[in-house]
Amino acid sequence: MAVIILKDKKFGVSITAKEIDAAIRKVSDQINRDYEGKNILFLPILNGSFMFTADLLRKIRIPCQVTFVKYASYSGISTTTQVTELIGINESVASRHVVILEDIVDTGITMDLVLNELKKFHPADVRIACMFHKPEAFVKSFKIDYLGMNIPNEFVVGFGLDYDGYGRNYADVYRLVK
Ligand code: 5GP
Ligand code: MG
């Protein structure tokens, strides 16, 4: 499907499922290599990361557990600086090798707050695995340890990413068509 319509907006294919799969393969290879002999606690951030999580975890060969967390920070097509408390983080994080899974890091404001919140629970260490990143919009300084791919600073949907709740179900990623 080259063009999709979500509510009042038109979107065209920008990244294919095949390209996404290759990027996830690369990320899973790196994680499988880096965490050999360890045990991982994956912390995917809902809602957007559900598809990245499902695809990535099927390629992980390290003993691991998964616990989903959630916050709300985004409405419509522009990012907000308001991030509510993380839901679902608890003591089980203490002394664990945590890998946060995120669909996209845009300004980085959300992830920065997540990192600060996580520290309170005393994990052994924390790394970030993220499917997409917009370096042009990034205003923070944390390192993205495992990155699927950089993308231009434009609004995208699909592969878990939504426009007003719609579009998460598509295997490809789409950009807004003006
Ligand atoms: P940040 O705090 O890094 O600016 O934004 C983080 C959140 O904004 C992401 O987890 C994601 O939910 C949302 N976001 C950022 N860019 C996009 C985009 O291009 N499309 C969609 N659908 N969501 C985005
Ligand atoms: Mg997200």
Side-chain angles (χ1 to χ4, degrees), residues 7 9 41-42 55 65 71-72 140 160 164-165 167-169:
K7 295 184 78 180
K9 295 200 182 340
L41 177 62
F42 284 106
D55 282 2
Q65 293 175 311
Y71 57 71
K140 294 293 177 181
D164 247 3
R168 297 191 194 275
N169 50 306

Side-chain angles (χ1 to χ4, degrees), residues 8 31 34 44 54 79-80 108-109 112 116 124 131 153 177:
D8 54 336
I31 293 175
D34 291 357
T79 194
T80 79
I109 290 167
D112 207 53
N116 286 330
M131 184 61 225
N153 191 11
V177 178

